[in-house]
C-alpha cells in the first residue's frame, strides 16, 4: 500500500486553497493537502514541528505578512527540507519572478490557471516530474 503524499500549500487566499485542495483530490485519494495562511504561519509550523516534512511545498508569491520570496529563503535554511521541492504557485507569469524564485531554490513554478482542470493537469505533471 502506497503512503499518502503530503502537499503543504502556503497561500493567503481561502478560495485558492480550496481550489488547490479540490485539484489534488481529483488527482488521487493518496494525497493530503495541508495549508498555511501565509509565510509566517508556515514557518511557525515548520519550526515548531520538526517531524513535519511534507513531500511537496507549494508557495504563493504575493502574500501580505511575508511574501513568497522571503518565505522561500527561510524554508531553504531548514536542512531537513533539503530534498523537499518547493514549487511556486502564483498569479504572476512574469519572467523576472520565475527566474528570481528559481535562483532562490524553487524547483518549479506554476502560474495559477483559470480552471481547475488545467490546474489538475499541471499538478499531475509536477508530481510526476518530482517523484
Amino acid at each position: 500500500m502506497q503512503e499518502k503524499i503530503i502537499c503543504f500549500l502556503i497561500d493567503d487566499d481561502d478560495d485558492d486553497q480550496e481550489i488547490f485542495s479540490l485539484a489534488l483530490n481529483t488527482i488521487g485519494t493518496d494525497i493530503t493537502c495541508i495549508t498555511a495562511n501565509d509565510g509566517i504561519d508556515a514557518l511557525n509550523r515548520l519550526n515548531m514541528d520538526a517531524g513535519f516534512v511534507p513531500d511537496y511545498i507549494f508557495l504563493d508569491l504575493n502574500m501580505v505578512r511575508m511574501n513568497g520570496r522571503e518565505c522561500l529563503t527561510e524554508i531553504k535554511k531548514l536542512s531537513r527540507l533539503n530534498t523537499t521541492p518547493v514549487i511556486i504557485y502564483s498569479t504572476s507569469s512574469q519572467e523576472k519572478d520565475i527566474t528570481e524564485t528559481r535562483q532562490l531554490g524553487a524547483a518549479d513554478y506554476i502560474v495559477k490557471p483559470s480552471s481547475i482542470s488545467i490546474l489538475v493537469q499541471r499538478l499531475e505533471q509536477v508530481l510526476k516530474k518530482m517523484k
Side-chain angles (χ1 to χ4, degrees):
M1 187 169 129
Q2 184 179 345
E3 280 190 42
K4 279 210 177 268
I5 296 168
I6 306 293
C7 293
F8 189 33
L9 173 64
I10 306 163
D11 194 319
D12 60 355
D13 185 300
D14 290 342
D15 290 338
D16 285 345
Q17 287 182 10
E18 187 174 336
I19 290 165
F20 192 90
S21 293
L22 285 170
L24 286 177
N25 287 339
T26 301
I27 293 170
T29 57
D30 60 337
I31 303 172
T32 298
C33 183
I34 296 169
T35 58
N37 292 323
D38 62 34
I40 292 170
D41 287 346
L43 291 170
N44 285 341
R45 169 101 194 246
L46 290 166
N47 286 318
M48 290 188 336
D49 184 356
F52 179 52
V53 181
D55 296 294
Y56 302 91
I57 297 173
F58 292 87
L59 175 61
D60 184 21
L61 274 187
N62 303 311
M63 296 182 289
V64 178
R65 293 200 312 161
M66 173 186 273
N67 71 41
R69 284 177 186 77
E70 295 166 331
C71 187
L72 176 59
T73 300
E74 293 305 310
I75 288 170
K76 288 299 177 181
K77 292 178 183 176
L78 300 172
S79 60
R80 76 176 193 284
L81 299 177
N82 281 347
T83 61
T84 302
V86 180
I87 298 101
I88 302 302
Y89 179 61
S90 177
T91 54
S92 171
S93 59
Q94 293 182 22
E95 194 59 43
K96 172 182 151 268
D97 290 332
I98 297 168
T99 302
E100 283 180 8
T101 54
R102 284 195 184 269
Q103 289 171 345
L104 291 172
D108 206 338
Y109 195 105
I110 297 175
V111 177
K112 292 180 181 179
S114 55
S115 79
I116 194 162
S117 61
I118 295 171
L119 178 58
V120 167
Q121 289 175 348
R122 188 67 180 97
L123 286 173
E124 286 176 328
Q125 290 170 349
V126 168
L127 296 176
K128 277 183 189 156
K129 182 172 81 173
M130 304 277 169
K131 264 189 180 175

